[in-house]
Amino acid sequence: MNTKKTPVLLMNVGSPDAPTVPAVRRFLSEFLNDKRVIDLPWLLRKFLVNLIIIPFRVKNSTQLYQQLWTEKGSALIYISEELKNKLQTKLGDDFEVFMGMRYGNPHYKKALAEIKEKGYKEVIVLPLYPQHALSTTETSFVAVEDEVRKFKNPPKLLKIGQFYQNPKFAQAFAEQAKKYKPETFDHILISFHGLPIRQDAKSKPKNVPDYSYSKACCETSQLIAKELNLSETDYTIGFQSRLSKNWLTPFSDEIIMEKLKEGKKRILVLAPAFVTDCLETIVEIEYEYAEEFVKNGGEKLQLVSSLNAENLWIDMLADMITERKNRN
């Protein structure tokens, strides 16, 4: 067993390998067939995903990824690589940082295979989701547990779950927002990735009996608002990326139009369910929401960049990792 270093496995959702129909189809298939993402009975899920959702969505999804793509590739992937490298420098020689996507590449199974090959006796697993949900934090932990169970000498898993309550998290997002001079905007929207209503309270972190994802989002907003000295009328909480009306409300795109009707022509948007800029922030908010807002008479809708590889965020991750290691 390797006892000289402690490996750290960072996890995020992932991205297609390329903005092409075959690559996006492979990614969507792996992603949407996860029973914790679409929590329906097996047969119904297979029918819905493979015969309806993917065939009807793959071309549109590919076009969205084409908007996101740069010479460096997918934003989520190249920013995650930068994050990994900066965190490795911050943590130093006592740790080895790995990045593994839950779906797509670099895959979490490849990272775990390397951890196994190096003979590590324990691994810190940190899914990069501020608020716990069945389809994010929980599926990441379960996937890692299932994979290491196949090992002859499986490493001990040291888990780090949701972290929105860490004071540095709200501080880091507030610092990002301050770069855009929030006092010059008419209103602030704090937008979270939506969930089907049936999933809201379906999965809970251990020892948090009164938890729901929507409650965690509200608490996140309150913590960031406090850091920015916002009053309750200065900001609104919304949920984006919905697939049906039976998802968490209010919907972010509808809030934007409502605020425009109220005369709010300059809106600043924070998205603190995402620590890395991706399709949902860059394309959905910065491109689509902003275009619709201006088209209907708004002056400016500005996305606040996510934490990405900012120094305060790196410091927070390093603190959490070191604390978890010392607590073992």
Side-chain angles (χ1 to χ4, degrees), residues 193-246:
H193 196 290
L195 284 181
I197 293 171
R198 68 175 184 276
Q199 282 193 17
D200 187 27
K202 189 172 182 178
S203 62
K204 305 175 187 297
K206 291 182 180 178
N207 305 318
V208 190
D210 61 342
Y211 179 87
S212 71
Y213 173 77
S214 58
K215 180 180 178 182
C217 293
C218 289
E219 291 177 355
T220 303
S221 297
Q222 291 164 358
L223 292 169
I224 294 173
K226 184 177 180 181
E227 289 291 331
L228 290 172
N229 295 314
L230 301 178
S231 70
E232 290 186 2
T233 58
D234 291 333
Y235 71 98
T236 305
I237 301 168
F239 296 92
Q240 63 182 88
S241 310
R242 69 184 185 275
L243 294 182
S244 77
K245 292 183 178 180
N246 297 319

Side-chain angles (χ1 to χ4, degrees), residues 78-241:
Y78 69 73
I79 293 172
S80 295
E81 184 67 18
E82 181 185 359
L83 171 69
K84 183 190 82 169
N85 293 337
K86 288 185 71 172
L87 181 59
Q88 181 66 73
T89 300
K90 179 71 177 181
L91 287 170
D93 294 338
D94 291 337
F95 297 86
E96 182 172 4
V97 182
F98 296 83
M99 179 63 71
M101 298 298 161
R102 177 63 181 86
Y103 319 99
N105 295 306
H107 206 273
Y108 74 93
K109 289 184 179 181
K110 183 177 180 180
L112 288 172
E114 187 174 348
I115 289 169
K116 175 187 177 184
E117 184 179 346
K118 293 185 175 183
Y120 287 118
K121 69 175 184 178
E122 60 187 19
V123 54
I124 294 173
V125 183
L126 174 48
L128 296 174
Y129 309 109
Q131 304 85 17
H132 181 99
L134 181 74
S135 55
T136 54
T137 310
E138 185 165 324
T139 189
S140 298
F141 282 148
V142 171
V144 171
E145 290 167 357
D146 289 346
E147 187 64 16
V148 301
R149 201 175 288 124
K150 303 172 186 176
F151 296 178
K152 184 176 180 180
N153 295 302
K156 180 179 181 181
L157 300 181
L158 307 180
K159 300 176 183 178
I160 299 177
Q162 63 176 9
F163 45 79
Y164 75 89
Q165 292 169 310
N166 187 307
K168 282 188 177 179
F169 181 71
Q171 291 168 16
F173 253 102
E175 287 303 310
Q176 286 295 89
K178 288 175 184 176
K179 296 176 183 179
Y180 299 86
K181 299 182 179 180
E183 67 277 5
T184 66
F185 288 82
D186 300 326
H187 196 71
I188 293 175
L189 170 64
I190 304 181
S191 182
F192 296 85
H193 196 290
L195 284 181
I197 293 171
R198 68 175 184 276
Q199 282 193 17
D200 187 27
K202 189 172 182 178
S203 62
K204 305 175 187 297
K206 291 182 180 178
N207 305 318
V208 190
D210 61 342
Y211 179 87
S212 71
Y213 173 77
S214 58
K215 180 180 178 182
C217 293
C218 289
E219 291 177 355
T220 303
S221 297
Q222 291 164 358
L223 292 169
I224 294 173
K226 184 177 180 181
E227 289 291 331
L228 290 172
N229 295 314
L230 301 178
S231 70
E232 290 186 2
T233 58
D234 291 333
Y235 71 98
T236 305
I237 301 168
F239 296 92
Q240 63 182 88
S241 310

Side-chain angles (χ1 to χ4, degrees), residues 263-278:
K264 312 292 187 184
K265 294 199 171 186
R266 292 175 54 83
I267 294 181
L268 187 66
V269 184
L270 288 77
F274 307 94
V275 297
T276 308
D277 279 317
C278 56

Side-chain angles (χ1 to χ4, degrees), residues 238-257:
F239 296 92
Q240 63 182 88
S241 310
R242 69 184 185 275
L243 294 182
S244 77
K245 292 183 178 180
N246 297 319
W247 281 47
L248 292 172
T249 58
F251 299 134
S252 294
D253 56 344
E254 293 182 357
I255 290 171
I256 289 168
M257 290 299 107

